[in-house]
């Protein structure tokens, strides 16, 4: 394997294993930021050694072994004398004696442990924006760029939030726990947001060569299912699970054999997972039974349910979708919600009505570098026969898109608009 290939393999393995490493070390060290620092050191070791020695047969196990040994070395170096740390050292020393060098099995007990870490990072002492960014970066392995896209802010702003949150987490001695009762309720909204954003990044990746990151979607779904058992009376937990199940049901139809995106209206609905749709609708019904029909995730799930129930694009209840987006906009005051509402309005009232909404959003600071704004605008202009303008809009969207598959799709649409303008 070439050096470049080895480097790519290391980063791919790392992206999968990072949350497992942090989860395991945090459970041992009772210190989440320290666990994250040591996992980063482990990556550095892999980047130094693997190009020389080759990729281990079980790279995840190698990373886990190395990370745990660095944690033990750190505790020994610090010469911590209090009873808690002495106990941790003894536990890890005993574990090291029975732990094979490269064949250490990966911790498969990461369900509740991962959720406990997210609850720890989402402590009320940390600001909402910072706690979500911290959890996404440190525990879930998303990059600062991916998190910045989710919040529509700069990477520098996200980096500052993470640094401040890690400092608060380290200095305050916050408990590594899954809280209960009122404490759980205080953190639940942020935990839901973390899981939601993990799923979104998996569903439409911000960067890279793949439009769809199945591993992240599955991880978010798993966390969502666990959370409904941790908080069974919280309607938004069921609503978020419904939203993810319904969206994920379209996975098989969202790309062609080459991995290229297939847009919603062009998808083969026969490939949608009807069993997963039923699970999603059942979860949405549970949220509604708990008086949560007007919640943020319940409204979004109800929108996706309109698509899931329609056997064809023509049967979709676009008026209902537009009304739900209007209700959602009243809660969130988000330009992205308005952008989505414009799409629904366009299906009900025609592209001209939708374009009026889009034009009102063009000066929104949060959407300045958001590629879907010119993308939607290009689609509406194309439907209106304004092909030259549509082509320029698609090109502008492609210039902003950082995902290769999405960029290629937008450039194809720009080419189609150019051909239509000439013909």
């Amino acid at each position: 394997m070439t050096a470049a290939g080895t480097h790519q393999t290391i980063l791919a393995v790392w992206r999968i294993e990072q949350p497992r490493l942090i989860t395991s070390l945090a459970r041992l060290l009772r210190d989440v930021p320290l666990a994250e620092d040591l996992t980063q050191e482990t990556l550095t070791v892999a980047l130094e050694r693997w190009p020389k020695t080759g990729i281990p047969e079980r790279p995840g196990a190698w990373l886990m072994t190395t990370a745990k040994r660095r944690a033990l070395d750190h505790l020994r170096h610090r010469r911590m004398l209090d009873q808690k740390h002495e106990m941790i050292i003894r536990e890890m020393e005993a574990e090291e004696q029975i732990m094979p060098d490269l064949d250490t099995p990966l911790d498969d007990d990461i369900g509740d442990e991962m959720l406990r870490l997210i609850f720890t990072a989402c402590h009320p002492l940390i600001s909402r924006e910072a706690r979500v960014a911290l959890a996404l970066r440190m525990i879930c392995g998303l990059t600062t760029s991916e998190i910045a896209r989710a919040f529509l802010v700069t990477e520098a702003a996200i980096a500052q939030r993470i640094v401040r949150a890690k400092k608060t987490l380290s200095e305050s001695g916050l408990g590594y726990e899954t809280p209960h009762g009122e404490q759980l309720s205080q953190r639940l909204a942020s935990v839901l947001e973390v899981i939601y954003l993990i799923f979104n990044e998996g569903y439409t990746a911000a960067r890279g060569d793949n439009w769809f990151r199945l591993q992240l979607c599955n991880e978010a779904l798993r966390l969502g299912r666990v959370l409904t058992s941790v908080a069974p009376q919280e309607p938004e937990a069921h609503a978020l699970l419904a939203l993810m199940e319904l969206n994920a049901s379209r996975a098989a139809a969202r790309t062609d054999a080459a991995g290229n995106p297939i847009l919603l209206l062009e998808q083969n609905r026969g490939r949608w997972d009807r069993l997963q749709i039923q699970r999603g609708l059942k979860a949405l019904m549970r949220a509604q039974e708990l008086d949560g029909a007007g919640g943020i995730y319940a409204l979004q799930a109800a929108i996706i349910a309109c698509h899931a129930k329609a056997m064809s694009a023509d049967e979709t209840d676009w008026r209902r979708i537009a009304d739900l987006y209007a209700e959602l906009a009243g809660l969130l005051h988000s330009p992205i919600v308005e952008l989505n509402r414009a799409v629904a309005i366009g299906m009900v009232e025609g592209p001209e009505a939708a374009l009026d909404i889009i034009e009102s959003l063009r000066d929104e600071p949060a959407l300045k570098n958001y590629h879907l704004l010119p993308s939607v605008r290009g689609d509406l202009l194309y439907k209106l026969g304004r092909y030259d303008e549509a082509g320029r809009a698609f090109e502008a969207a492609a210039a902003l898109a950082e995902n290769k598959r999405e960029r290629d799709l937008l450039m194809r649409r720009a080419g189609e608009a150019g051909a239509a303008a000439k013909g």
Side-chain angles (χ1 to χ4, degrees), residues 11 14 134-135 138 168 193 210 228 236-237 282 287-288 317 322 342 366:
L11 294 182
W14 174 253
L134 175 68
M138 189 169 66
T168 299
E193 188 173 4
N210 297 316
T228 58
E236 282 288 77
K282 183 178 179 181
Q288 293 167 343
D317 189 349

Side-chain angles (χ1 to χ4, degrees), residues 272-321:
W272 290 4
D273 188 332
R274 306 313 300 184
L275 289 177
Q276 193 161 27
I277 288 173
Q278 290 304 314
R279 288 201 299 270
L281 294 176
K282 183 178 179 181
L284 177 57
M285 184 181 299
R286 181 57 182 154
Q288 293 167 343
E289 290 171 349
L290 293 168
D291 296 325
I296 291 171
Y297 299 111
L299 290 172
Q300 292 180 75
I303 290 168
I304 306 304
C306 290
H307 294 295
K309 293 175 181 178
M311 298 309 295
S312 69
D314 292 338
E315 295 177 25
T316 305
D317 189 349
W318 288 103
R319 172 52 69 186
R320 169 70 173 155
I321 291 174

Side-chain angles (χ1 to χ4, degrees), residues 12-25 27-28 39 42 50 56-68 95 99-111 113 215:
V13 171
W14 174 253
R15 189 152 202 165
I16 295 170
E17 301 298 341
Q18 181 189 10
R20 299 171 185 263
L21 299 177
I22 295 177
T23 299
S24 180
L25 294 189
R27 185 174 65 243
L28 293 167
T39 58
T42 302
W50 290 7
E57 183 177 348
R58 299 181 63 188
W62 188 100
L63 290 169
M64 185 66 77
T65 300
T66 303
K68 286 184 175 179
E95 183 176 348
M99 184 170 57
D101 187 16
L102 296 181
D103 292 325
T104 305
L106 293 178
D107 288 16
D108 57 5
D109 182 24
I110 65 172
E113 295 297 338
Q215 184 262 340

Side-chain angles (χ1 to χ4, degrees), residues 132-209:
V132 174
L134 175 68
L136 289 170
R137 176 69 187 97
M138 189 169 66
I139 301 166
C140 305
L142 270 63
T143 67
T144 52
S145 173
E146 291 163 351
I147 301 168
R149 187 189 79 148
F151 283 100
L152 299 180
V153 298
T154 65
E155 291 186 41
I158 290 297
Q160 290 174 358
R161 291 179 190 178
I162 293 171
V163 169
R164 288 195 297 267
K166 287 177 68 174
K167 184 177 180 182
T168 299
L169 201 58
S170 294
E171 293 178 351
S172 59
L174 300 178
Y176 170 59
E177 60 183 0
T178 302
H180 301 281
E182 184 61 29
Q183 289 185 343
L184 184 146
S185 297
Q186 289 176 350
R187 307 186 197 186
L188 185 63
S190 293
V191 173
L192 288 169
E193 188 173 4
V194 169
I195 296 172
Y196 173 67
L197 294 174
I198 294 171
F199 183 86
N200 281 355
E201 175 57 29
Y203 196 68
T204 307
R207 287 184 170 179
D209 295 334

Side-chain angles (χ1 to χ4, degrees), residues 212-359:
F212 183 54
R213 295 170 60 186
L214 182 61
Q215 184 262 340
L216 279 182
C217 287
N218 287 340
E219 180 69 4
L221 278 164
R222 184 187 60 75
L223 289 169
R225 290 165 186 154
V226 173
L227 189 58
T228 58
S229 66
V230 173
Q233 298 303 312
E234 295 288 346
E236 282 288 77
H238 294 279
L240 176 59
L241 180 59
L243 174 61
M244 295 189 295
E245 295 278 17
L246 291 170
N247 269 322
S249 70
R250 304 199 297 253
R254 293 185 70 234
T255 57
D256 63 18
N260 297 311
I262 301 175
L263 300 180
L264 175 62
L265 298 183
E266 300 168 1
Q267 289 173 14
N268 176 2
R269 300 189 178 212
R271 301 193 66 198
W272 290 4
D273 188 332
R274 306 313 300 184
L275 289 177
Q276 193 161 27
I277 288 173
Q278 290 304 314
R279 288 201 299 270
L281 294 176
K282 183 178 179 181
L284 177 57
M285 184 181 299
R286 181 57 182 154
Q288 293 167 343
E289 290 171 349
L290 293 168
D291 296 325
I296 291 171
Y297 299 111
L299 290 172
Q300 292 180 75
I303 290 168
I304 306 304
C306 290
H307 294 295
K309 293 175 181 178
M311 298 309 295
S312 69
D314 292 338
E315 295 177 25
T316 305
D317 189 349
W318 288 103
R319 172 52 69 186
R320 169 70 173 155
I321 291 174
D323 291 344
L324 288 167
Y325 272 124
E327 190 174 348
L328 186 62
L331 294 177
L332 291 180
H333 308 290
S334 164
I336 293 181
V337 173
E338 276 297 290
L339 179 62
N340 286 317
R341 188 175 75 86
V343 174
I345 289 294
M347 300 299 292
V348 176
E349 302 178 16
E352 194 71 57
L355 192 59
D356 289 340
I357 300 174
I358 295 299
E359 296 299 342

